Structures are given as C-alpha cells and as structure tokens.
Amino acid sequence: MAGKDRILILGPTGAIGRHIVWASVKAGNPTFVLVRNTPGSNNRVNLVKAANPETKEELIESFKNSGVNLIQGDMNDHESLVNAIKQVDVVICAFGRLLIEDQLKIIAAIKEAGNVKRFFPSEFGLDVDRHDSVDPVREVFEEKARIRRIIEAEGIPYTYLCCHAFTGYFLRNLAQIDITVPPRDKVFILGDGNVKGAFVTEADVGTLTIEAANDPNALNKTVHIRLPKNYLTINEIISLWENKIGKTLEKTYVSEEKVFKDIKEASFPNNYLLALYHSQQIKGDAVYEIDTAKDLEAFEAYPNVEYTTVDEYLNQFV
C-alpha cells in the first residue's frame, strides 16, 4: 500500500494553519511546515488571541515534538520555496488576508517544482465565487477569486475549501463587537436574525481540510463545510445560549442601513468583522445550492468525521 501524501502547510502558526498541521499529523500524513527565524506578532486581534492563545514559538516547539518536518525558508526567497515544495505532494496555504497576493509566489514555485498533486489556496471562509459582501471584505474576496482564476489558467490541480464562519470569530461572542465571550445581558442582531449561517470550529476545519487533501474525489473541486447541526440562524443560536444560562437576553435588531453606517465609521478589525457578519447574517452568503459536478458538501463526503456542534461549543462559556 502506498504511503500517504506529504503535505506542506504555509502559514502554519496562524489561526487556521496550526489546526491544519495538527490534523495532518493526526491523519498520519508526513507533515512539513515552512518557518522563518522571526518572532511572532503580539498584535493579534482579540478574538483570534482568545481562540488561539499559543504563541508562534510555543507552536513551533509543539510541531517539533509531534514529528513535523520544519523547513527553514522564506516566501520571498523563490529558491527556498521551490526547494520546500519539491519535498511534498500537497501544498496548503493558510495565509491571512494581508498576504493573499503573495500566493502568486507560491503558484510560480509550484509551476517550477512541477511535482504538486494538489494546491489548497488560502480560502477558509465564504465562497468567493458566491457572495454579496461589501468592503472591506469584498476587496479581499475579489483577491481570492483572482487567485482561483490564475490557478485554473496555470493548470495547477487544486481544491478550494469554504468553511464559512469560524467559531472563534463568529460564535464565541455571538457576533458581538469588542467582546470575546457570549453576552449575558443584551445582544445586537444584524437583520432579522433568521438567515442561516454555517459555523465550524477551527480544529474541525483542520480535520476536514486534511480529509479533502487525502480524497481524490476533491481534486479540482470546491469543498463546502456546512455541517447540519451547525447550519443555524443567529436567533437559533441565541436561543441555545439563553437556555444554557437560564436567562432571556435583551435583543436589538440592527437594520442593514445602520450596519453600512457602522462599517464606514469603524476602523479595523471592527469594520472587517461587521462586513463579515453582514455577509452571512443579512445577505445569506452561506445559503446556496451546490453543483455536484464541481462541488462537494463536506458532511456528505466525509460522514465519519465527528464534529463539534454549536450546542457543544457554547458549553465552555456557561
């Protein structure tokens, strides 16, 4: 029996990259990460810091102890990037929003290396080919869509991974601004609160990404993570939370016009978060039909994966 594909994760210490690394190790894939000898940033968004408290240095030490292959290199050093890619079969990029354009360097290196079976560009959000978002999110989605078109034009085998709403960004604070735990008194709800959204823990994104990486049926397709028990409206989620704490929250419903105004007046990260919340909670960008010729629903493709439900996730805050 042939061994499992060797997987390289770029951006391995980020909010999602770390979970892909751990999932790859757990699945038994030979796992590689590209690391630089630079200190980690202390300027992480509070929500990200709360959901992923480990520092870069702690993660790298954990990777070493888990048998991950650390490759010293730099995205801006083409030769070292090509060298890293030549050692693996699958490349998964987990860059943040500010580094989306840097994937052009990865594409060039993959083309030169000539050995990659699959490339996962940095997506890990809403489907950038199916959205009605506003800036500053729209600009990032357009950059990601452009990367898709370049990958396809270059003939690079790919899988796009759309996981929608990380629990660390959307659920641990019930989509409220400037808090990192669910509110216990009052809550602001964008729109009428009745639009379905798709929620998933970062760890489960890692698991399902590696499932897709090991699945030949995911080649040149988009994998959509919309897990049945986590495909809920914000009103349904708030009701779950109220039942857990035995209290009814004071609810304020925010019109789309007010949301637009708040986005324009806010600075980063709040403007970005509000635009993401608007995309899912008002525009319904997680609600669509898939094309089975080019799409896979993760829960149907990987039915044996046990995932953390929204109900289970909220228990940690009671």
Side-chain angles (χ1 to χ4, degrees):
M1 179 182 291
K4 288 194 172 183
D5 283 342
R6 300 162 295 173
I7 296 178
L8 171 66
I9 296 98
L10 303 174
T13 61
I16 187 61
R18 64 188 67 193
H19 296 285
I20 298 173
V21 173
W22 289 325
S24 180
V25 171
K26 184 177 180 180
N29 290 86
T31 305
F32 298 72
V33 300
L34 187 70
V35 295
R36 296 182 299 170
N37 290 320
T38 56
S41 171
N42 292 319
N43 297 319
R44 291 187 291 163
V45 175
N46 286 338
L47 275 172
V48 176
K49 193 181 299 182
N52 304 278
E54 306 93 343
T55 66
K56 174 183 176 181
E57 293 72 25
E58 289 170 340
L59 283 167
I60 290 175
E61 188 62 29
S62 176
F63 294 162
K64 287 180 183 178
N65 295 336
S66 300
V68 174
N69 300 282
L70 273 59
I71 304 175
Q72 296 294 327
D74 192 301
M75 276 298 305
N76 297 311
D77 181 345
H78 179 72
E79 185 176 349
S80 72
L81 188 56
V82 171
N83 174 65
I85 290 171
K86 282 184 176 179
Q87 298 179 52
V88 301
D89 305 296
V90 175
V91 177
I92 300 175
C93 183
F95 286 173
R97 64 181 184 86
L98 297 178
L99 299 177
I100 298 304
E101 288 294 320
D102 276 5
Q103 291 181 109
L104 295 175
K105 300 171 186 176
I106 301 172
I107 291 170
I110 287 174
K111 289 290 288 184
E112 181 170 329
N115 60 293
V116 170
K117 296 180 181 179
R118 200 102 59 85
F119 176 42
F120 286 65
S122 186
E123 297 254 347
F124 307 107
L126 297 168
D127 188 339
V128 298
D129 284 336
R130 293 183 176 99
H131 72 93
D132 192 17
S133 63
V134 298
D135 285 329
V137 166
R138 180 187 294 277
E139 181 181 8
V140 175
F141 284 4
E142 288 176 349
E143 288 178 1
K144 289 183 177 183
R146 176 171 170 258
I147 294 296
R148 284 189 180 190
R149 304 292 87 81
I150 293 171
I151 290 168
E152 293 158 6
E154 292 289 347
I156 294 173
Y158 65 84
T159 297
Y160 305 141
L161 204 294
C162 301
C163 63
H164 300 280
F166 292 160
T167 53
Y169 279 81
F170 289 81
L171 197 56
R172 68 176 298 119
N173 62 350
L174 301 190
Q176 306 300 291
I177 294 296
D178 289 332
I179 61 174
T180 59
V181 293
R184 289 176 175 263
D185 297 308
K186 59 184 179 180
V187 62
F188 292 90
I189 300 169
L190 276 59
D192 63 11
N194 291 322
V195 178
K196 290 283 187 183
F199 301 84
V200 62
T201 66
E202 289 86 337
D204 288 337
V205 172
T207 297
L208 289 163
T209 298
I210 298 303
E211 287 284 335
N214 287 322
D215 178 11
N217 291 324
L219 175 65
N220 294 337
K221 290 186 179 179
T222 303
V223 177
H224 305 265
I225 302 179
R226 297 185 295 182
L227 307 170
K229 292 183 180 179
N230 292 0
Y231 197 43
L232 303 170
T233 70
I234 196 67
N235 282 337
E236 290 171 329
I237 291 170
I238 290 170
S239 180
L240 281 174
W241 178 240
E242 289 175 331
N243 288 336
K244 289 181 184 298
I245 63 174
K247 182 179 180 181
T248 300
L249 301 182
E250 176 189 334
K251 301 174 184 66
T252 300
Y253 292 89
V254 184
S255 70
E256 185 173 30
E257 182 180 8
K258 178 65 164 59
V259 174
F260 288 153
K261 182 174 182 292
D262 290 343
I263 291 172
K264 289 180 180 179
E265 293 178 352
S267 57
F268 183 83
N270 289 355
N271 60 342
Y272 197 81
L273 289 170
L274 281 169
L276 285 173
Y277 298 160
H278 167 267
S279 179
Q280 178 158 271
Q281 294 180 34
I282 293 180
K283 304 310 292 187
D285 283 341
V287 181
Y288 51 82
E289 298 293 326
I290 66 166
D291 179 350
T292 55
K294 58 183 180 180
D295 297 305
L296 291 177
E297 282 281 8
F299 78 91
E300 294 176 344
Y302 316 115
N304 295 325
V305 172
E306 295 183 4
Y307 62 89
T308 300
T309 67
V310 166
D311 186 52
E312 293 166 341
Y313 179 83
L314 289 174
N315 285 337
Q316 67 183 294
F317 303 108
V318 176

